[in-house]
Amino acid sequence: MKSRSLNDKLLQELAGQYGTPLYVYHTDIIRNRVEHLRGFDVIRYALKANTNLSLLKWIHSLGVKVDAVSAGEVYKAFKAGFVEDEIAFTTDLFDHPGLELLEHHDIHVNLGSPDMIEQYAAIRPGHDVTLRINPGFGHGHHRKVNTGGPDSKHGIWHEQLPSILKRTGDAGLKVTGIHMHIGSGSDFKHLSRVRAALSAAARIAADSVTTISTGGGLPIPYRPDEIPFDVEHFTNDWQETRTELQRTLGRSLVMEVEPGRYLVAEAGLLLTEVRGTKTSGNVDYILVDAGFDNLIRPAMYGAYHHISIVGRDDQPTRPQVVAGPLCESADVFTQGQGGVVEPRELPTARVGDLLCIHDVGAYAASMASNYNTRPVAAEVLVEGDAARLVRRRQTPDDLAAQEVELLE
Ligand code: LLP
């Protein structure tokens, strides 16, 4: 499965050379996932999932475009070699750095709130825009990542589309596309519902629409027994929707997909060293040197990440809890929704063993923090037989570098 194509010997060597915790990415998996999505005209990588520059350069070389959500992400896209017309900027508000960026760069914007219309028209009169529509429903692997419905701050409410089209027209902007992203790690059933909602919106904006964007949210099988998402079925369904719409609108439409997780999650693992084991009451703990500063998904969403111990695949297992070094009770990698600690069947671990936390290519390093004043971990990219450091570990000096010392 997935990032396990990285063999134990290499993982031992990498841990020895670069230390732990360490993110390790494997390009083969990304290439494979991109190939699965070639049925879409544009694959637009949601770069919030992982913004490592070498990884981005590599993704760029596959002909993939990007969706950025902040001025910082656009900056990184430029650094990785993407040019203006390969970048879309999706946001629900323009902060000052965002607007300033758009003054200097002609980047396509995907508007998620009404007030952005006049703000954008003031700096780019007459430009094309797409609208991110909230279709009135959403779905994701957790309610914190559901981006549709009235409880979501994202997008322009679907019922307001006619008045918003008038408003964009009055501001002199042209609406060339409709975009919907209902949530992250959704499922086939909900992602399919988007087709009807997007078609309805595109019909309302029929005069000028030339692009439809299906958003991202494609799930990946985090658990070993989960069935992978049927991308072929998904693509065929969307092609059907596009064909129908083209017939209605009387023009050809560009069809985009905007995944983050689907492209990169399975390409990454987090290597961490066992630094202790202990028993409290009847619970056995494996204490590792990675924490939720390196991977916050279990603590934030109760997300499941598969865990293995390097070189111990064939050994008998028993229930154990894997926890990190942070001074915070939520620093547990084996927990369910609501923070309930869930022991996991794992081989008996010893101090010095290496653990792999799988499927961390998306939303791990990009959500890393310096909590407990811990440096952000290093990242390694494996391409064929070559494993190269693509981000050095932060140093204690890095941690203090931006501060202004008032004390003599
Ligand atoms: N497009 C837009 C406009 C988005 O807001 C997102 C994700 C994506 C695409 C990509 O979604 P994906 O294909 O990766 O599911 N931190 C959470 C995920 C939050 C994603 C927010 N927006 C997690 O770790 O599950």
Side-chain angles (χ1 to χ4, degrees):
M1 179 168 100
K2 341 152 171 196
S3 36
R4 284 181 219 174
S5 50
L6 295 164
N7 68 54
D8 290 355
K9 186 167 164 282
L10 176 67
L11 294 174
Q12 299 275 13
E13 281 170 16
L14 293 175
Q17 191 171 356
Y18 301 113
T20 53
L22 182 71
Y23 301 101
V24 184
Y25 308 124
H26 197 311
T27 56
D28 282 0
I29 292 158
I30 305 175
R31 181 189 293 114
N32 172 280
R33 298 304 182 268
V34 167
E35 290 313 317
H36 287 175
L37 288 171
R38 291 284 187 207
F40 288 85
D41 303 316
V42 175
I43 304 171
R44 196 175 280 291
Y45 170 57
L47 60 78
K48 60 174 80 66
N50 189 322
T51 60
N52 180 278
L53 283 175
S54 302
L55 197 89
L56 288 183
K57 272 189 186 165
W58 199 83
I59 288 175
H60 188 214
S61 74
L62 299 174
V64 171
K65 299 188 177 183
V66 282
D67 181 61
V69 295
S70 69
E73 284 193 354
V74 173
Y75 168 79
K76 284 200 104 173
F78 281 147
K79 268 205 103 77
F82 292 89
V83 296
E84 286 179 350
D85 68 8
E86 293 172 321
I87 305 171
F89 187 26
T90 296
T91 169
D92 291 291
L93 59 93
F94 288 129
D95 58 13
H96 292 291
L99 262 192
E100 207 171 294
L101 173 101
L102 293 169
E103 275 172 30
H104 294 103
H105 296 283
D106 190 1
I107 292 169
H108 182 83
V109 297
N110 187 25
L111 306 177
S113 300
D115 288 329
M116 299 169 77
I117 294 170
E118 291 78 18
Q119 292 166 358
Y120 185 62
I123 55 166
R124 295 265 166 199
H127 256 54
D128 295 349
V129 292
T130 47
L131 300 179
R132 175 178 183 171
I133 301 297
N134 177 336
F137 63 89
H139 184 251
H141 65 79
H142 188 278
R143 70 189 159 78
K144 288 180 186 164
V145 298
N146 177 332
T147 58
D151 290 336
S152 167
K153 65 173 181 161
H154 295 288
I156 290 169
W157 188 249
H158 60 115
E159 288 166 329
Q160 294 164 12
L161 181 54
S163 64
I164 291 295
L165 288 172
K166 170 152 188 339
R167 194 162 158 181
T168 43
D170 290 348
L173 299 177
K174 186 172 164 200
V175 176
T176 55
I178 298 290
H179 167 281
M180 276 180 196
H181 172 79
I182 60 159
S184 231
S186 186
D187 59 23
F188 203 89
K189 188 174 121 211
H190 290 89
L191 288 170
S192 294
R193 277 184 72 194
V194 178
R195 293 195 292 134
L198 196 141
S199 290
R203 284 181 163 90
I204 295 171
D207 286 352
S208 49
V209 164
T210 53
T211 300
I212 52 171
S213 172
T214 69
L218 286 63
I220 63 122
Y222 281 104
R223 291 173 192 264
D225 56 355
E226 260 175 275
I227 298 163
F229 186 69
D230 189 346
V231 189
E232 201 182 322
H233 191 172
F234 178 73
T235 309
N236 290 342
D237 281 357
W238 271 105
Q239 276 171 346
E240 202 177 287
T241 302
R242 189 248 301 260
T243 306
E244 275 167 29
L245 257 181
Q246 289 187 152
R247 213 173 292 134
T248 312
L249 269 50
R251 79 179 75 94
S252 59
L253 295 171
V254 175
M255 183 170 76
E256 299 200 353
V257 66
E258 198 175 78
R261 178 188 329 266
Y262 181 78
L263 294 185
V264 295
E266 292 163 275
L269 59 78
L270 178 61
L271 259 186
T272 178
E273 188 181 308
V274 176
R275 299 301 310 142
T277 60
K278 69 179 178 186
T279 303
S280 294
N282 57 0
V283 181
D284 291 336
Y285 287 87
I286 302 175
L287 302 173
V288 297
D289 64 1
F292 74 57
D293 53 324
N294 308 114
L295 172 68
I296 201 167
R297 300 191 73 256
M300 195 146 168
Y301 316 115
Y304 180 99
H305 281 266
H306 188 69
I307 297 175
S308 60
I309 306 182
V310 174
R312 296 200 190 281
D313 269 354
D314 305 329
Q315 298 191 358
T317 62
R318 62 193 177 88
Q320 292 165 90
V321 170
V322 180
L326 299 180
C327 192
E328 179 110 6
S329 302
D331 192 25
V332 168
F333 290 110
T334 52
Q335 60 179 293
Q337 304 238 339
V340 181
V341 167
E342 290 179 350
R344 181 88 55 90
E345 283 294 328
L346 286 167
T348 299
R350 293 189 216 110
V351 170
D353 275 351
L354 278 179
L355 247 74
C356 291
I357 306 182
H358 294 264
D359 306 318
V360 306
Y363 306 114
S366 68
M367 294 178 82
S369 74
N370 287 129
Y371 188 46
N372 282 196
T373 313
R374 288 190 2 122
V376 168
E379 296 174 282
V380 165
L381 188 67
V382 180
E383 230 183 315
D385 292 334
R388 282 175 296 179
L389 185 72
V390 289
R391 177 185 175 126
R392 67 161 173 81
R393 190 175 302 280
Q394 276 185 333
T395 63
D397 279 345
D398 290 334
L399 294 176
Q402 287 115 34
E403 293 189 34
V404 178
E405 291 177 61
L406 293 182
L407 302 172
E408 287 306 307

